[in-house]
Amino acid sequence: MEIMLRDVVATDASALAHVLITANDHAFRGRVPDQCLEFSETESAANWQRTLSEGLPDKDFMIAAQALTGEMVGYAWGGPNTSDTVYAGELRQLSVLPAYQKRGIGRRLVCEVVHRLVEKSMGTMRVEVLHVNPNRAFYERLGGVYLSDHPYDWDGVKLTMCVYGWTDTSVFLREQCQ
């Protein structure tokens, strides 16, 4: 499938909301209480609009995966990690529409995030993923090493967040992004 990667722009708020809400519903329905998934696309689009109009944090970036039809089918958000000193970069979010998963789009998005982090002199990366996320194995296939877990509160529901890391993203680029 032909996909173009591009920077997210302010007018992408509704598309980001659609991807996020659809992917979350697919990944988490039946795995988390319904109250976690009640957030509507309209509410999400308003949040994205606010985030994009205020501007992302310094050195953060968002990449859209767009089909030739113009439809956004996924996105990734990356930037500096401020949680610890070992992992300089962080994959903050990755989301791909369910109908487009298992086609290499997520991998391409992560590769682009890693490229951009390396350009900003961040040669290590981490990502946090809910333990109940069925896509956790994706990060393991990409060479992410399980580091730790910690409690996470999703709308009053106590869940576990897992942390994965890459200590040398040049290896990741060589092995995963050819």
Side-chain angles (χ1 to χ4, degrees), residues 147-161:
L147 302 172
S148 64
D149 59 60
H150 60 85
Y152 178 75
D153 184 305
W154 186 356
D155 293 335
V157 176
K158 304 295 185 220
L159 298 168
T160 300
M161 188 71 78

Side-chain angles (χ1 to χ4, degrees), residues 49-152:
Q49 187 62 53
R50 189 170 40 259
T51 297
L52 295 173
S53 64
E54 291 173 358
L56 297 175
D58 188 40
K59 298 183 182 171
D60 275 25
F61 52 88
M62 290 187 75
I63 305 151
Q66 183 175 309
L68 294 181
T69 61
E71 177 187 19
M72 184 188 295
V73 299
Y75 71 88
W77 182 351
N81 171 32
T82 57
S83 301
D84 66 51
T85 56
V86 176
Y87 296 91
E90 183 165 36
L91 174 60
R92 299 194 198 298
Q93 286 187 23
L94 174 67
S95 197
V96 176
L97 286 173
Y100 292 88
Q101 292 177 4
K102 304 207 184 299
R103 297 183 185 194
I105 297 167
R107 178 185 302 269
R108 281 191 58 201
L109 284 163
V110 175
C111 286
E112 183 62 22
V113 167
V114 172
H115 278 293
R116 292 190 187 196
L117 291 172
V118 168
E119 286 174 357
K120 296 174 187 291
S121 300
M122 293 179 243
T124 56
M125 183 180 78
R126 62 179 248 148
V127 64
E128 293 190 3
V129 186
L130 282 171
H131 185 268
V132 296
N133 188 332
N135 300 311
R136 252 183 43 207
F138 167 78
Y139 298 104
E140 294 168 1
R141 284 192 304 275
L142 292 182
V145 175
Y146 172 83
L147 302 172
S148 64
D149 59 60
H150 60 85
Y152 178 75

Side-chain angles (χ1 to χ4, degrees), residues 107-108 111 115 169-178:
R107 178 185 302 269
R108 281 191 58 201
C111 286
H115 278 293
T169 54
S170 67
V171 172
F172 174 86
L173 290 172
R174 191 170 53 254
E175 293 178 355
Q176 302 293 335
C177 304
Q178 300 302 320

Side-chain angles (χ1 to χ4, degrees), residues 13-14 16-18 20-21 39-49:
S14 292
L16 289 167
H18 176 69
L20 178 64
I21 297 300
F39 204 64
S40 72
E41 276 191 38
T42 302
E43 292 168 310
S44 181
N47 279 350
W48 281 118
Q49 187 62 53

